[in-house]
Each structure stands twice: as structure tokens, then as C-alpha cells.
Amino acid sequence: MAAAEVPALATERRFAQRLRSSPRRECLEEERLLDGRYRLQRLPGGRVAVPVLEEKLSQLCLPAEMPCELLRIQTVASALGARRVARRGRVMPDGMRTPSVTLLLGQHGWVEHVDNGIRYTFDVTKCMFSAGNITEKLRVASLPCSGEVVVDLYAGIGYFTLPFLVHAGAAFVHACEWNSHAVEALHRSLVLNGVRDRCRIHSGDSRQLRDVADRVNLGLLPSSEEGWPVACRVLKKDAGGVLHIHQNVEARPPHAAVLLAERGSAEAASCAGEARRPAQHRGQEALGARLRPEWRRWAEATAARIQGLLAELHGRPWRCSVLHIEAVKSYAPHVHHLVLDLECRPVPPV
């Protein structure tokens, strides 16, 4: 990596512009942002670094006012005791949450992460790892799934597929995923954890699945609503089962709830009381007065919608009961990542 002396941002932009128009562009590594700009990394002392192949450095022919020196990434790796170095950028809004990670040193981006005794492996340049849903992974690992068939509709790299298999004791998991990089990571993790024979990966279309599941996981944010008809179809039609439905649910800001409470709104008072409780206790109780009203309304509306879908699909009435609402994390101000455990059973004929 080469660093050039640049006294101001305007000069930095001119430097990048010069590189783009340079006949020596082949000297640069094949690394571009979405807008086509070269990746410039600002350094102390008014300098920026641009990725340049070392053997091509002398061919850049930069003007004298832009002196360059070679910064060896190996020095950074040595100081950290690392064999590989990567630079992380923003996750891309492409529907698959593709990471923007550039490998600066090393031959590949495959890493291994141990979480609750489960070994996850994935390529950091192709797949992201979300640490924020650890509480839900722990909860899934504790569910009584012995002997059950589970369908994980949005499996990813195996966030929930692996806890179902390794700790919850599921007999078999159908893992559905359309990102080919995540599919490869999931396959490797299943082998690492010795559970490959109890899982079938459905890459791409999951519509061939029907009438197989005792339990369905719908772990997609901000909403898994598009997958609800599929979840209804894969539930066992004669016995039903449990759906775990993920959703980002917006709640009324606490200050608004307090104002309404002062006007005598019992519902707002409940919401304000919830907002005052310590964060570690929020959402941990079963359904009750301290759950936020918006959460209860969302759960009840979802149950009614699923009940209607099942009745329409099978031509007979079903009963859907809210078992639990789990608050996983705060996703944004006043927006919470919730999971609804919904028990769905066909109503026996009279």
C-alpha cells in the first residue's frame, strides 16, 4: 500500500481523480466502491493511502508534489499477531446484507467463530456475522425440540439452524437459503459440528416443501411477512406446530406515553412503566401487563392473519395461540426486534 502526502481534502480528491484518469490504472488493485471511486484510506499527518501493487509503484509517475512511500501491511499484522488483515466497510443494502470487506493481507477470508459451543465458519468477505441476536440463539438452543422436524426459512450461515440441531435436539432441519455464499458457509459449519446428516439445505426455492414441519423459524428482518404463507404450507396439516416469527415493531416514544398517561390513558401508563424498567428485564416475561401495548397488538394481529391463512389453505378452522413474545434487541430508536412464538393447531371436527 502506498501513501501520498496530501495537505487537504480537495487535494485528496484531485489525487484520486488523477489516478482514475492515469494510463497506469492497471497498477492499482481491483478494488472499487459502488460509485467507482478507488478506496482511499486517510492516515495521520495529512496523508492518504491507496492500494497499489508493490511491483507497479514506480510506474505511477506521480508529480513531485505528491511524494509516495510504501507502507507494508505486514508490519500491522506483525504488531497484532495476525496472519491476515482486512478492512471493513458498510454492509451493502442488496437484500443479502453483503459485507464490504477488503482483504489486505492473506489468501482467503474464511474464519471460525465459537458461539455457545457451536462452531460457525464463514468467509468475512462474502458473509456477515450478527452478534446482536445472541439472546435468541441461546433461547432457541433451550427449546424442547427433541424428535421434531424444523424448517428454517431464512437459514443464512446457520444462526438458528445450528442451535436447533446441536443443543435443542431437533431430529431434522430443513434449511432454506438463497445466498450461495451463505449456503457454502452453512454446509461447512454443519460438517464442523457433526450434524450434517440431520440437515438438508434447500438452496433457492423452498416451495417444494409441504406438510413436514413441527416447528418453523422465520428469522428475517425487518419483516418475515412474505414467508408467512410458506410457513403455513410447511406446517404439518394434521397436527400443526409452532411458528417463531421475527419482526421489527415500532413502539410509541416513552415521552409521548407519559403525556398520554397524564391525560388518564391506562394503556399509555402501561407503556411508560415498561419504558422505565431496566433493559435486561424488558421482554423477558410471558404475555402480561408489562409488555408494551404495541407488541401485544402486533402479536394478536399476526395470530389472526396466520389463522386466516391456515384456514384458507386447508379449508377448515385453525386455532392460533400466542405463547410468548421475546424482545431480542433495540433495532433503532423505538423499534424493537421481536420474536413471536405462535402455536397453530387445526380445530378438531365436532
Side-chain angles (χ1 to χ4, degrees), residues 280-303:
Q280 65 266 30
H281 296 305
R282 293 179 191 167
Q284 302 306 311
E285 299 86 4
L287 286 177
R290 286 185 289 183
L291 282 174
R292 296 191 177 188
E294 292 88 349
W295 299 358
R296 292 200 302 272
R297 286 197 293 269
W298 166 72
E300 291 162 3
T302 300

Side-chain angles (χ1 to χ4, degrees), residues 303-315:
R305 172 79 187 284
I306 295 292
Q307 186 169 298
L309 288 172
L310 286 165
E312 181 180 355
L313 176 65
H314 297 293

Side-chain angles (χ1 to χ4, degrees), residues 214-217 235 240-244 323 341-345:
D214 300 293
R215 194 180 295 266
V216 184
N217 192 68
L235 273 181
V242 176
L243 305 182
H244 301 286
L323 298 178
D341 295 349
L342 189 67
E343 185 177 33
C344 308
R345 303 293 180 190

Side-chain angles (χ1 to χ4, degrees), residues 27-344:
C27 301
L28 300 171
E29 294 178 357
E30 293 297 323
E31 300 178 15
R32 296 171 182 265
L33 293 173
L34 291 176
D35 60 1
R37 293 182 299 167
Y38 291 104
R39 296 179 186 271
L40 298 180
Q41 183 177 352
R42 201 170 302 181
L43 301 175
R47 300 185 301 168
V48 292
V50 62
V52 180
L53 298 174
E54 181 177 349
E55 64 273 16
K56 302 286 187 177
L57 183 61
S58 61
Q59 301 177 24
L60 279 178
C61 302
L62 291 172
E65 66 268 22
M66 290 185 179
C68 288
E69 62 176 318
L70 189 66
L71 302 176
R72 297 188 180 276
I73 277 293
Q74 286 89 341
T75 304
V76 177
S78 176
L80 296 174
R83 291 174 300 195
R84 290 174 292 164
V85 177
R87 182 175 60 245
R88 184 175 63 182
R90 292 184 177 181
V91 175
M92 297 181 183
D94 57 0
M96 292 188 287
R97 295 186 60 76
T98 303
S100 178
V101 174
T102 303
L103 194 65
L104 302 175
L105 178 67
Q107 300 302 312
H108 64 83
W110 283 93
V111 299
E112 183 176 318
H113 175 75
V114 179
D115 195 312
N116 192 26
I118 297 172
R119 298 167 68 187
Y120 294 87
T121 185
F122 56 99
D123 186 337
V124 296
T125 67
K126 304 288 179 56
C127 300
M128 64 164 289
F129 186 89
S130 176
N133 57 17
I134 178 62
T135 58
E136 182 62 10
K137 285 186 286 185
L138 292 171
R139 193 176 76 94
V140 163
S142 69
L143 292 173
C145 301
S146 178
E148 292 185 350
V149 174
V150 178
V151 172
D152 191 357
L153 280 182
Y154 306 99
I157 65 171
Y159 292 121
F160 302 112
T161 294
L162 290 166
F164 274 123
L165 289 166
V166 176
H167 293 309
F172 198 85
V173 174
H174 293 275
C176 306
E177 177 55 46
W178 66 308
N179 183 339
S180 60
H181 302 301
V183 166
E184 182 182 1
L186 175 57
H187 174 81
R188 293 189 182 202
S189 295
L190 289 168
V191 173
L192 272 178
N193 291 279
V195 293
R196 184 66 185 89
D197 60 330
R198 290 162 48 213
C199 182
R200 179 181 175 186
I201 301 175
H202 300 266
S203 181
D205 195 353
S206 61
R207 286 178 294 184
Q208 70 272 24
L209 285 173
R210 185 180 291 270
D211 188 26
V212 297
D214 300 293
R215 194 180 295 266
V216 184
N217 192 68
L218 298 103
L220 182 66
L221 294 178
S223 173
S224 62
E225 189 169 352
E226 288 189 4
W228 294 357
V230 180
C232 291
R233 190 167 61 245
V234 301
L235 273 181
K236 291 182 176 178
K237 63 181 181 181
D238 294 329
V242 176
L243 305 182
H244 301 286
I245 302 172
H246 292 238
Q247 182 96 1
N248 282 346
V249 178
E250 186 171 359
R252 187 180 300 132
H255 69 273
V258 171
L259 288 175
L260 287 175
E262 291 174 352
R263 298 173 190 168
S265 168
E267 177 179 290
S270 173
C271 181
E274 166 64 25
R276 285 192 297 267
R277 291 191 302 119
Q280 65 266 30
H281 296 305
R282 293 179 191 167
Q284 302 306 311
E285 299 86 4
L287 286 177
R290 286 185 289 183
L291 282 174
R292 296 191 177 188
E294 292 88 349
W295 299 358
R296 292 200 302 272
R297 286 197 293 269
W298 166 72
E300 291 162 3
T302 300
R305 172 79 187 284
I306 295 292
Q307 186 169 298
L309 288 172
L310 286 165
E312 181 180 355
L313 176 65
H314 297 293
R316 57 173 171 162
W318 281 62
R319 181 179 295 108
C320 293
S321 306
V322 175
L323 298 178
H324 180 71
I325 300 173
E326 181 74 12
V328 179
K329 61 180 180 292
S330 177
Y331 192 83
H334 318 304
V335 178
H336 291 83
H337 172 187
L338 304 183
V339 181
L340 167 63
D341 295 349
L342 189 67
E343 185 177 33
C344 308

